[in-house]
Structure formats: structure tokens, C-alpha cells
Amino acid sequence: MADTDEQANTAEAIRHGFSLNAWNFLLQADTHCEVATQQSICPIPGCSSWFSGFINHRGNVVPIYDLGVFLEPESVKARSKGNTWFLLLGSHPDTAGFIIDQLPSILVDPSMSSEENPEIAPTALKDFIISTWNHNNRIWLEIDHKALLEHFKAHTLFNKQQ
């Protein structure tokens, strides 16, 4: 048993991240996530442009957000159906998803960056960035997705300016 405990302690940390526009986002450790292929989204009229609508995922209704539009509202772009996925975060009934156009990355043993540069983070997400990490000479912003999703829920309906 001691060998197993020792192996567990020396195992490399595996984290998941995703890239969007020019930024790399790191999910918090132990975040339940999965990637789903794009399917039909049921939009809700009158909502913020970054709220895409709902999907049916295994019989559950899941809200889908377009983080790219939230970060750059003026750059609403048409996506081809074959080049996007949904990054679903959390367990049901609290699952929510982001539209991504690249598959997530697996980061093995990233290191916390000593540079806590607030200019690195997009302005719209500064309140949701926990820390900065470095992996393969790329900066990864660890995001508090739960707080961000709560913010989205509070500002989704009938608030096109947010």
C-alpha cells in the first residue's frame, strides 16, 4: 500500500484547458468536464448575444454560452457546424457549456506563474481569473467557471447590453 501512496504523490498533475481567441483558459483542478459535438441550440429571443440558448444533453436541459462573444461582442462570427464543440462543465443539474472551436488541451504538470500581470486577462473576465499558469511557454489563465456561470445566469435574460 505504501508504494501505491508514494506513486500517487509523485504522479504528474493533469489539468484541462481551452483556447479561445488569443487567450488560454485553465479549468480548476477536479472540474468535471466533457466535450459534446455541436447540435441544435434552442435560442431564447431577447437574451444577451453571448447566451446562445439551451441544448438537450442526455435528456437534460443545458444552457450554452458563447464566451468568445462575451469577450469581444463586436466580433460575432458565424461558425460552421463542423468546427465547433460544446465544453460542458459541472455535473447535472448544474451543467452549463461554452462554445469552443478547438478541442480542449491536456496540460501535464503546469507550473504557477510568478507573474501576476492583470493586463494578461481580458477585461471582461478579470473578476473570474484565479491565477496565472505557465505550460510549454504559454500563459494559461485559471478561470473560476462557477462564479462566471453565476454571473451569466444573473445577466442572461433581456439584457442585451451585458
Side-chain angles (χ1 to χ4, degrees):
M1 189 68 147
D3 289 338
T4 307
D5 290 341
E6 187 175 318
Q7 288 172 351
N9 289 336
T10 61
E12 296 173 324
I14 297 176
R15 304 283 299 272
H16 294 92
F18 64 99
S19 298
L20 192 59
N21 299 341
W23 298 287
N24 301 308
F25 298 105
L26 183 67
L27 298 176
Q28 293 174 283
D30 301 322
T31 297
H32 179 270
C33 63
E34 70 177 285
V35 175
T37 58
Q38 183 163 358
Q39 54 186 287
S40 296
I41 299 175
C42 179
I44 306 296
C47 292
S48 302
S49 59
W50 41 260
F51 177 64
S52 297
F54 295 96
I55 64 167
N56 176 346
H57 182 67
R58 297 187 188 130
N60 295 292
V61 175
V62 176
I64 299 294
Y65 301 95
D66 192 330
L67 193 53
V69 172
F70 179 74
L71 295 174
E72 297 177 8
E74 66 283 348
S75 70
V76 176
K77 58 182 177 183
R79 292 187 169 94
S80 68
K81 193 168 185 162
N83 294 332
T84 58
W85 297 270
F86 299 129
L87 177 61
L88 305 179
L89 305 171
S91 300
H92 292 293
D94 299 319
T95 304
F98 295 132
I99 297 174
I100 57 174
D101 44 15
Q102 297 178 41
L103 289 172
S105 301
I106 297 173
L107 288 72
V108 178
D109 210 17
S111 59
M112 187 171 280
S113 177
S114 58
E115 300 173 22
E116 291 295 328
N117 186 348
E119 280 75 44
I120 292 174
T123 304
L125 291 181
K126 285 193 185 221
D127 293 339
F128 308 104
I129 301 300
I130 300 169
S131 58
T132 307
W133 294 75
N134 190 328
H135 187 263
N136 291 340
N137 296 319
R138 290 173 62 192
I139 299 296
W140 292 83
L141 305 171
E142 185 173 15
I143 189 167
D144 182 350
H145 72 278
K146 291 179 183 176
L148 178 59
L149 291 171
E150 285 301 318
H151 173 79
F152 282 166
K153 287 178 189 177
H155 294 91
T156 296
L157 294 177
F158 310 107
N159 193 355
K160 293 187 178 217
Q161 300 303 314
Q162 287 287 337

